Amino acid sequence: MYTLTYESTAVKTLTSAEMESLLDKARTHNKSKNITGCLIYYKGKFVQLLEGDKKKVQELYDRIVEDPRHKKVTLFSEDEIANRTFPNWGMAYYPMDDEHPNKYELEQFKRNLILLSDLVEPTNLTAKHFWIKIKTMIAEPPK
């Protein structure tokens, strides 16, 4: 089994509806290919960990690199793995209300992500890099 993690920047800010549509398609595709992972979208940036069969994950990553909704797609870690980090997650996501963002819910979500990263015992370097990148990303103050 294989895992990789990358980061990218959205070409434009995605609305909640656009993100939900993207996730519906990704979850359906990934389930059919037995790919699991975690996607974080925060302040116009994506960080994603993908895991599964090496050929299938690499094919998906190649599609992501070519996706016009992204720019600056950068692979920052990859590994051969024995076990999945996210065995039951099709794709994690926290929806935000575009019209009425709730800063308290967002802060709670950020605390939960940090807590989760502290509780999860990464079994490979790629998962460790993923959590480090997430902690760094959500620690950035708003612009």
Side-chain angles (χ1 to χ4, degrees), residues 46-58:
F46 293 97
V47 176
Q48 184 169 31
L49 182 141
L50 297 168
E51 52 198 4
D53 174 76
K54 185 173 186 173
K55 183 179 179 202
K56 291 176 183 175
V57 170
Q58 287 178 325

Side-chain angles (χ1 to χ4, degrees), residues 7-136:
E7 63 183 331
S8 68
T9 303
V11 171
K12 69 174 193 79
T13 302
L14 298 176
T15 65
S16 293
E18 290 169 323
M19 194 66 198
E20 291 291 340
S21 174
L22 181 149
L23 285 168
D24 285 344
K25 291 174 185 166
R27 287 177 178 135
T28 300
H29 176 268
N30 293 355
K31 185 175 183 178
S32 74
K33 303 291 184 183
N34 198 25
I35 296 172
T36 57
C38 183
L39 172 65
I40 303 297
Y41 176 68
Y42 182 69
K43 295 192 315 187
K45 295 182 182 178
F46 293 97
V47 176
Q48 184 169 31
L49 182 141
L50 297 168
E51 52 198 4
D53 174 76
K54 185 173 186 173
K55 183 179 179 202
K56 291 176 183 175
V57 170
Q58 287 178 325
E59 287 171 353
L60 176 56
Y61 177 71
D62 290 343
R63 286 180 48 200
I64 290 166
V65 169
E66 297 299 320
D67 189 320
R69 294 172 289 194
H70 298 264
K71 61 183 178 183
K72 301 179 187 173
V73 180
T74 305
L75 177 70
F76 62 87
S77 189
E78 59 185 326
D79 276 308
E80 295 293 332
I81 58 172
N83 298 306
R84 294 174 189 261
T85 301
F86 300 100
N88 301 311
W89 292 24
M91 209 52 62
Y93 170 64
Y94 177 76
M96 292 294 293
D97 181 347
D98 299 321
E99 297 297 317
H100 305 96
N102 183 321
K103 69 178 184 175
Y104 300 108
E105 285 183 9
L106 177 59
E107 288 304 314
Q108 184 62 45
F109 171 69
K110 289 166 60 173
R111 283 191 296 275
N112 288 345
L113 265 181
I114 291 169
L115 177 62
L116 182 59
S117 72
D118 290 340
L119 292 175
V120 170
E121 190 63 43
T123 58
N124 60 74
L125 190 57
T126 295
K128 289 178 186 174
H129 285 301
F130 173 80
W131 287 115
I132 290 167
K133 182 64 74 173
I134 296 303
K135 283 181 174 180
T136 302

